[in-house]
Amino acid sequence: MESYKHILLAVDFYEHNNTVVYRAQDLANKYQAKLSIIHVVDNMPMIDAGYGADIPFNFDLTTELMATAKKNLTKLGEKLMVSEDRQWLEMGSPKTEIVRVANENKVDLIIVGSHGRHGLALLLGSTANGVLHHATCDVLAVRLQDN
Ligand code: AMP
């Protein structure tokens, strides 16, 4: 069995994501795999974004969300020593964009948290579930407790 060569970590920048981040870092080290990170600015209406805002989505806000997301991604990239060309900031549906970027970049393992902003009440969050259904490579959903 071949070991993983390219791991894609999907982050939503919620605090509990640290567990997911450390798991991705650990696996990338163990497999000597390339690590990429992705964040998708959701283009669906939102009232509970993870950027410290609690306001309805509008187009003016998009630029600000992208800028804040870029800062967060750059910071995480520095922490994980992931170069800029392996940091993906996309806009759209998180599950669609995560799977698209994975396919286009020959990713062989996608790592997501089991729960995030969308999923505390569910067994598996909607993004994790969507990625799991549509990905053409392995997917690891890192178990997160909701307490
Ligand atoms: P959720 O579906 O919101 O419960 O999120 C489950 C997991 O999917 C999170 O822990 C992240 O790993 C990933 N995820 C959710 N939203 C995004 C996003 N906007 N961009 C990238 N990854 C995301």
Side-chain angles (χ1 to χ4, degrees), residues 10-12 17 38-40 94 98 112-113 115-119 125-128:
V11 284
D12 59 6
N17 245 312
I38 182 169
H39 176 72
V40 184
I98 292 166
V112 292
H115 299 86
R117 171 165 67 89
H118 298 114
S126 59
T127 306

